[in-house]
Amino acid sequence: KEALQSFYLKVKHPAINHLYSTFQDEGHIYLLLEPAPGLPLHKLLQMMGTFDKDFSKMVLFQIATIMKDFHDE
């Protein structure tokens, strides 16, 4: 858990919201993130029901690009 928090506190990537801080109480872990425009992906899926092929390709491309960038570092 601490290694993951440390990673997210250090990561700088244009497609990843910056994590400013974390804290927890007895039952929850809280993340203080920079604001993000738009809706979360799961909310878009709930609204749309399904994603069309082009939208799905764009999302997967973005995820793959982020993963590659992290791997290259």
Side-chain angles (χ1 to χ4, degrees):
K1 177 179 86 171
E2 291 175 12
L4 187 59
Q5 288 175 340
S6 176
F7 169 78
Y8 280 114
L9 286 168
K10 293 177 187 174
V11 71
K12 301 283 189 254
H13 192 279
I16 302 292
N17 294 63
H18 180 70
L19 175 65
Y20 292 109
S21 182
T22 64
F23 54 97
Q24 67 184 60
D25 60 21
E26 291 183 21
H28 300 88
I29 296 174
Y30 300 91
L31 307 174
L32 181 59
L33 296 163
E34 74 176 316
L39 293 172
L41 195 57
H42 74 279
K43 291 286 187 190
L44 283 174
L45 183 56
Q46 286 175 344
M47 289 171 46
M48 297 171 70
T50 60
F51 294 144
D52 66 24
K53 188 176 180 178
D54 289 334
F55 186 83
S56 298
K57 285 176 18 180
M58 179 203 55
V59 170
L60 288 173
F61 175 78
Q62 290 177 347
I63 292 169
T65 301
I66 293 167
M67 301 278 291
K68 181 186 179 308
D69 290 349
F70 285 146
H71 180 73
D72 290 348
E73 288 181 16

